[in-house]
């Protein structure tokens, strides 16, 4: 198991910006994917943005053009730049990673979540 710690959440006015950070630590052989999720109707969580080790990015339609996911200097760090925030973006955002704990085993872990509140 790895530990994923999110930071950067808080309160912001609509139209403002916020950057979320996530750092992974623990026994990690290599990282395949890092991404951000938030709760959605009928689901525990829905994809907001994800980036693979190869650099491929994917975004929810609702955030395209406003959010940008990026990898940090270290392979175990990911950021989510959130611009033009809307009230409907208010949610708990969870960081996740799919990784190899060894050469043979793949695992998935989640952070504790960070609250983002967008006020009107």
């Amino acid at each position: 198991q790895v530990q994923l710690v999110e930071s950067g959440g808080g309160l912001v006015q609509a139209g403002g910006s916020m950057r979320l950070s996530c750092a992974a630590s623990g026994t990690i052989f290599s990282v395949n994917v890092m991404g951000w999720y938030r709760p959605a109707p009928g689901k525990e969580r829905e994809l907001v943005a994800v980036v693979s080790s190869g650099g491929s990015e994917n975004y929810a339609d609702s955030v395209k053009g406003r959010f940008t996911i990026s990898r940090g200097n270290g392979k175990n760090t990911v950021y989510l730049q959130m611009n033009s925030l809307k009230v409907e973006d208010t949610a708990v955002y969870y960081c996740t990673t799919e990784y190899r704990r060894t050469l043979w085993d793949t695992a998935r872990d989640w952070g504790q979540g960070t609250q983002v509140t967008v006020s009107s």
Side-chain angles (χ1 to χ4, degrees), residues 78-90:
V78 67
Y79 303 97
L80 185 67
Q81 180 65 46
M82 309 163 70
N83 298 325
S84 301
L85 282 162
K86 304 175 180 179
V87 172
E88 50 263 45
D89 293 320
T90 295

Side-chain angles (χ1 to χ4, degrees), residues 4-9 19-23 33-39 45-51 58-60 63 67-71 77-82 92-97 108 110-116:
L4 293 163
V5 180
E6 303 102 331
S7 62
R19 189 180 75 159
L20 306 183
S21 301
C22 176
V33 169
M34 294 194 76
W36 295 91
Y37 283 68
R38 66 189 182 189
R45 294 157 185 166
E46 71 170 355
L47 175 70
V48 176
V50 64
V51 60
N58 209 344
Y59 298 90
V63 307
F67 291 9
T68 303
I69 190 169
S70 61
R71 298 180 298 278
T77 305
V78 67
Y79 303 97
L80 185 67
Q81 180 65 46
M82 309 163 70
V92 177
Y93 286 73
Y94 296 89
C95 178
T96 187
T97 182
R108 177 79 165 252
W110 298 86
Q112 80 285 358
T114 185
Q115 176 70 50
V116 173

Side-chain angles (χ1 to χ4, degrees), residues 94-106:
Y94 296 89
C95 178
T96 187
T97 182
E98 181 183 283
Y99 65 100
R100 295 180 187 271
R101 56 164 61 104
T102 69
L103 185 64
W104 307 274
D105 300 321
T106 300

